[in-house]
Amino acid sequence: MGRYSSVDWILFEWDERRTGLGPVRSSLEDTRGWYHQLGPWLDPGPAPGVSICRLVVDGRVVVLSRTRTGGSDSRRTIRVQAYLGGSAANASAMPNVRQALALAPGWSSLLPADPEPLDLAVLLRPYADASAALDRRARAEAAALAPIVSEALRGHREALSVVAQGEAVVRLWGLVDILDLVLGRYPETFSTYESDDLKQGAEVIFLQEWPGPSSRAPHRRRVDLRAPDESDLHGEIAAMVVDAYAGRRLPELVKRLRINDGMALEERIELLGAALREPPEPVPAEPRTPPPPEPSEPAPAPPPPAVASGPRRRLPAERPRPTPVPREEPAAPVSPLARPDAQPVAVHGPNPDYFRQELAGATTAGDAQDIVQEFYEWAPGRTSADVRARALALVPELVRLLPENEVNPVLRDLLASHAPHASHAPHAPAEDTRSGWLEPRWLVLAAGVLVVLVLQVVTTILR
């Protein structure tokens, strides 16, 4: 079976002949072998809702969507759809873990009336929207994942059983993302509900509560999300990576530590532990409040508007901030003859790649907004060509860091609101200097002399 191909299915419901759950419809001609192998995993749990299970049976990926609708006869309110996907020997066997978590609860409505296989491409069509919504929830609720990550670090390849009151699908989504980056592997098989943890065949199972002491499975590590995590190296590393995952900084952390796919678990733990011992980033001293201006002085101009609401982050002390050049009123024109040694004054600023380099090292939208604020402070007094060239160079990084609906307004403000007018450009050509003889006082004097000369001529003629 290829990556995109047909998917067989089996519908399990109450069967009067068996007095229990059984296959009632399927795209397969013979379902007897599947019924015996999937039977232990068909229980959806006592509460109404949907639970998901992903297994590997006879070398083939199987996803179960188990539903209890509720009703007076609980036996007849169970409905289980089994989707038989590709070979597990394929590294990209589908439906994969993330596809099953995001989509399997809604697949029950796609079962055809005829016994025909399903098109896998149709099953996966809504994945982009469903995965984005699940990702947002998982990051918002990531703090609860620290105990599971901690146990996964302690027992790298041991199966886990977890007691959790939240939604298991959300927990598993975050767990898969974190372990994929930190350990290089994640659970391929799971069940979001089981009544006990005795069954093998799933790497992670979720329970509503612990069964009796005699039912504890020796092959599983138990994790109780209701209990505090152990305070040791694994617990501290788990808290660090979960916090980084919630803030979308985990890929950056793994890249900075140079953790790669072929690295052993012990080396990963050593690098993550070293990151815990790194000194915190220095916090610059609080800026001093400038003294109020004297009464004779004009009030200072208000600061430019912020890009977005929210507190500004403090920049590290070592970051070079561009020094804004104050805008000066144009002085009275001076003849070049008065200052034969006059030279144009150079306007200094950050190197041309400063803002782009700063954005390349940023990781959050807040960082991007602060760097854009620096651009606003730098722009007055610059030529339009300089502002436009530097602003356009920032576009790829702004697209990476800012929400899609904020990129165009920010770019428009950079190019329009803060582009200097020609009268303030430091490199604008100087206006032609008017001759001093054309000033009004000299013109009045010349007119007076001309009148005197005319009167003298007239007097001479009359004599």
Side-chain angles (χ1 to χ4, degrees):
M1 179 171 291
R3 181 178 176 86
Y4 285 95
S5 58
S6 60
V7 175
D8 289 310
W9 53 272
I10 306 172
L11 174 60
F12 294 91
E13 287 182 338
W14 181 262
D15 189 346
E16 294 291 350
R17 293 175 301 171
R18 291 188 174 91
T19 63
L21 285 178
V24 296
R25 290 198 304 123
S26 176
S27 63
L28 300 174
E29 294 183 0
D30 188 359
T31 59
R32 287 174 295 179
W34 290 105
Y35 171 69
H36 291 295
Q37 295 186 79
L38 297 178
W41 301 94
L42 298 181
D43 181 12
V50 181
S51 61
I52 307 300
C53 183
R54 186 179 190 269
L55 304 169
V56 175
V57 180
D58 285 343
R60 191 172 182 179
V61 171
V62 178
V63 177
L64 301 178
S65 179
R66 306 171 298 191
T67 306
R68 183 182 291 278
T69 59
S72 57
D73 188 349
S74 62
R75 300 174 301 174
R76 290 174 170 80
T77 62
I78 299 175
R79 179 184 174 93
V80 181
Q81 294 84 235
Y83 303 91
L84 315 180
S87 170
N90 185 353
S92 58
M94 293 191 176
N96 62 32
V97 173
R98 292 182 173 90
Q99 293 162 353
L101 288 171
L103 300 176
W107 281 345
S108 58
S109 61
L110 300 178
L111 289 184
D114 299 326
E116 299 177 352
L118 295 167
D119 186 350
L120 180 59
V122 174
L123 290 178
L124 303 183
R125 188 171 296 161
Y127 176 74
D129 292 337
S131 62
L134 193 53
D135 184 75
R136 287 192 295 269
R137 292 189 58 192
R139 293 181 190 277
E141 304 174 22
L145 294 173
I148 313 179
V149 176
S150 177
E151 287 300 324
L153 294 174
R154 291 186 183 93
H156 181 34
R157 293 189 176 274
E158 291 186 72
L160 299 174
S161 54
V162 182
V163 166
Q165 300 301 319
E167 290 192 42
V169 168
V170 178
R171 302 280 189 265
L172 271 169
W173 183 273
L175 182 67
V176 166
D177 278 351
I178 293 173
L179 296 186
D180 189 15
L181 286 168
V182 174
L183 297 183
R185 67 173 301 274
Y186 53 84
E188 294 277 357
T189 55
F190 61 83
S191 175
T192 62
Y193 166 79
E194 292 301 323
S195 58
D196 60 54
D197 52 359
L198 292 174
K199 293 188 288 291
Q200 299 191 36
E203 295 171 83
V204 179
I205 62 173
F206 282 76
L207 311 170
Q208 291 184 338
E209 60 183 10
W210 295 125
S214 61
S215 64
R216 179 165 183 168
H219 62 281
R220 291 188 180 273
R221 300 178 69 89
R222 284 188 167 184
V223 185
D224 193 338
L225 296 188
R226 302 165 300 182
D229 190 27
E230 297 183 24
S231 180
D232 60 2
L233 177 61
H234 296 98
E236 293 176 0
I237 292 175
M240 176 182 67
V241 299
V242 166
D243 179 70
Y245 169 73
R248 298 183 182 273
R249 302 185 309 276
L250 187 55
E252 175 192 356
L253 174 63
V254 171
K255 180 179 179 180
R256 178 168 59 84
L257 297 178
R258 298 184 179 180
I259 295 177
N260 55 62
D261 292 341
M263 190 172 290
L265 174 64
E266 294 75 13
E267 191 173 355
R268 294 171 184 264
I269 297 295
E270 182 178 354
L271 291 174
L272 291 167
L276 287 172
R277 298 188 293 271
E278 291 180 356
E281 188 175 343
V283 178
E286 291 290 339
R288 295 182 179 179
T289 304
E294 296 294 331
S296 59
E297 297 179 358
V307 178
S309 60
R312 292 280 309 277
R313 67 184 175 98
R314 291 177 183 167
L315 299 176
E318 65 272 15
R319 169 179 287 179
R321 293 180 62 93
T323 303
V325 177
R327 182 179 298 175
E328 298 180 357
E329 295 298 328
V334 180
S335 172
L337 299 177
R339 293 182 57 192
D341 59 340
Q343 297 293 333
V345 180
V347 179
H348 299 285
N351 68 76
D353 293 330
Y354 171 82
F355 296 105
R356 183 176 58 80
Q357 292 170 353
E358 288 292 283
L359 281 175
T363 58
T364 66
D367 292 343
Q369 292 164 357
D370 287 331
I371 296 169
V372 169
Q373 181 68 26
E374 294 181 30
F375 192 101
Y376 285 156
E377 297 170 358
W378 166 85
R382 313 291 164 167
T383 64
S384 298
D386 193 13
V387 172
R388 179 173 293 274
R390 298 203 192 193
L392 292 178
L394 307 183
V395 172
E397 298 300 333
L398 291 176
V399 171
R400 176 177 66 87
L401 294 166
L402 294 177
E404 184 177 358
N405 61 345
E406 292 184 16
V407 175
N408 285 339
V410 170
L411 183 60
R412 184 169 59 251
D413 288 344
L414 290 177
L415 295 179
S417 300
H418 294 274
H421 300 291
S423 61
H424 297 293
H427 302 293
E431 297 182 0
D432 293 337
T433 304
R434 186 174 61 181
S435 172
W437 293 105
L438 297 181
E439 292 185 9
R441 58 179 181 174
W442 298 117
L443 292 176
V444 172
L445 181 59
V449 172
L450 180 60
V451 169
V452 171
L453 291 175
V454 171
L455 290 175
Q456 288 179 352
V457 170
V458 170
T459 303
T460 304
I461 294 173
L462 292 177
R463 286 179 182 177

